Amino acid sequence: MKPLALISLPLLAVLQAGCNQQSSLSPGGPAARELSRMNWFILILFIVIAVVMWILIALVASRPRGSLREHAPVDAGGGHEWVWIGGFAIPAAILAVVFVVGLRGMSKFPLHDGMAHTPAEIRITGHQWWWDVQYLNSNVSLEANTANEIHIPAGRAVDIDLASNDVIHSFWVPSLHGKVDLIPGQFNRIRIQADQPGVYRGQCAEYCGEQHAHMILLVVAQSPDEYERWLGHQRELAIDPADDQQRRGQTLFTTRACGLCHTISGTLAQGRVGPNLSHLASRQAIAANMLPNNTANLSAWVVHARSLKPGVVMPNMTQFDGNELRALVAYLQHLR
């Protein structure tokens, strides 16, 4: 089986795990609905224009040659009215309508300056190729950090600050909002809202390197009570190992290279290069949502990350023997 097939199969499994359709024509929030109206209008307008053009072409093509009205040569001014009408007036009128509809839609979205007086609830930082997600709070001890999976309360708008750690990325969850870029050295902001609980799939929409297509994002909308419980749990320290195998896995994680790149709260592992793994087992997927979060994929990712996702910073960890790998994976799967 080809490598692309090996990647596409687990990705398909993630899509079949209950995610809402990734389409701007299937809106799940107020911003997406406004964009969907514009999309449908432009799509229908394009179809109407295309049908009219094909009808005109068919009529001209089906007429006998002798019945066609000839005009004077172009250099003598013949046919200029068709150029003005078909090549300028009609396209200008159509584009003007689309422009006005677009301006009307844009006027309904809050600008960054208009949101500046309200502190953001979440800060997302783009990396090659994953999303760092920080839940902000005026009390630093109440902040939480996770990766690649954003939880929000359903039925309420959430302001998100967007930044980049390396190149330009783009935040895009089609069912909730349009695209907003993440630019190095600059904060942008987006306001998203999901009407109903569910899982909304998104991804980076700006080419950012080799694994751009696998920089996937999940937005999990929950009822307000469920969201508060989830956020409270994310603020807690990682769960202590429950048995000897997991304790051995924790020791391996904190004494080998893992702890230099990843954080597990309440342990010596305080690395900042890769995603925070304090509650890894509670996430639906790994590798920026490219692979379902199960024992086989987690084991393969730990040992051969670069064979699954070429170009990632995480090195292959082939120094672990079978027993060590099982202990390490058992510990990671305990981190709920």
Side-chain angles (χ1 to χ4, degrees):
M1 188 177 291
K2 295 182 180 180
L4 277 178
L6 292 173
I7 291 176
S8 62
L9 287 176
L11 178 58
L12 180 62
V14 173
L15 289 174
Q16 294 174 338
C19 292
N20 290 344
Q21 184 178 3
Q22 184 181 332
S23 171
S24 59
L25 300 180
S26 299
R33 270 195 302 277
E34 185 60 35
L35 292 172
S36 179
R37 292 189 191 102
M38 289 192 290
N39 288 340
W40 278 114
F41 172 79
I42 294 172
L43 177 61
I44 293 171
L45 180 63
F46 169 80
I47 292 173
V48 170
I49 294 170
V51 170
V52 171
M53 292 301 300
W54 280 110
I55 290 174
L56 292 175
I57 292 172
L59 289 175
V60 172
S62 62
R63 293 175 64 179
R65 179 175 297 181
S67 65
L68 296 179
R69 183 171 65 88
E70 297 184 0
H71 56 71
V74 174
D75 56 3
H80 282 187
E81 68 275 12
W82 291 107
V83 175
W84 280 105
I85 295 172
F88 177 76
I90 294 177
I94 293 171
L95 292 175
V97 171
V98 172
F99 179 69
V100 171
V101 171
L103 285 181
R104 176 181 170 277
M106 291 173 60
S107 68
K108 296 186 178 182
F109 294 103
L111 299 176
H112 185 281
D113 293 342
M115 293 187 283
H117 65 280
T118 307
E121 294 183 51
I122 302 173
R123 177 175 297 151
I124 296 177
T125 304
H127 300 258
Q128 290 178 304
W129 292 272
W130 60 281
W131 309 86
D132 180 68
V133 185
Q134 184 178 5
Y135 290 81
L136 306 174
N137 196 289
S138 56
N139 183 348
V140 178
S141 64
L142 295 180
E143 292 189 347
N145 184 243
T146 182
N148 302 315
E149 191 174 294
I150 304 170
H151 288 241
I152 62 173
R156 178 171 69 80
V158 176
D159 287 347
I160 302 175
D161 275 344
L162 302 172
S164 174
N165 189 58
D166 35 54
V167 300
I168 296 177
H169 302 281
S170 188
F171 179 95
W172 189 34
V173 184
S175 295
L176 298 181
H177 210 294
K179 306 172 185 177
V180 176
D181 285 347
L182 290 72
I183 301 174
Q186 172 182 320
F187 279 113
N188 282 339
R189 184 172 290 190
I190 189 171
R191 177 174 291 169
I192 65 173
Q193 178 177 330
D195 293 333
Q196 301 294 332
V199 181
Y200 301 85
R201 187 180 185 274
Q203 63 189 79
C204 178
E206 179 74 27
Y207 181 74
C208 55
E210 187 174 0
Q211 290 298 325
H212 160 69
H214 293 139
M215 190 172 172
I216 304 163
L217 179 70
L218 296 181
V219 176
V220 181
Q222 301 169 292
S223 68
D225 290 342
E226 290 179 343
Y227 170 73
E228 290 299 330
R229 285 195 296 270
W230 176 87
L231 184 57
H233 179 66
Q234 294 297 309
R235 291 166 175 162
E236 297 174 358
L237 299 179
I239 302 173
D240 290 330
D243 55 36
D244 289 341
Q245 186 184 45
Q246 293 174 11
R247 278 188 283 273
R248 186 185 183 197
Q250 183 186 59
T251 300
L252 288 168
F253 191 97
T254 55
T255 58
R256 300 285 182 91
C258 308
L260 299 176
C261 295
H262 298 280
T263 291
I264 294 181
S265 58
T267 74
L268 297 175
Q270 296 295 315
R272 302 291 182 182
V273 178
N276 186 310
L277 303 181
S278 300
H279 302 284
L280 172 65
S282 67
R283 300 173 195 166
Q284 299 184 32
I286 61 173
N289 297 303
M290 191 185 87
L291 303 166
N293 190 358
N294 57 39
T295 303
N297 287 330
L298 190 56
S299 300
W301 181 257
V302 169
V303 179
H304 291 292
R306 291 184 175 178
S307 66
L308 297 172
K309 198 168 184 177
V312 296
V313 175
M314 181 171 169
N316 291 331
M317 307 293 286
T318 55
Q319 69 269 32
F320 292 117
D321 62 31
N323 290 329
E324 290 176 332
L325 180 61
R326 282 189 288 273
L328 181 58
V329 170
Y331 173 60
L332 293 175
Q333 291 185 312
H334 180 68
L335 299 176
R336 294 194 174 275

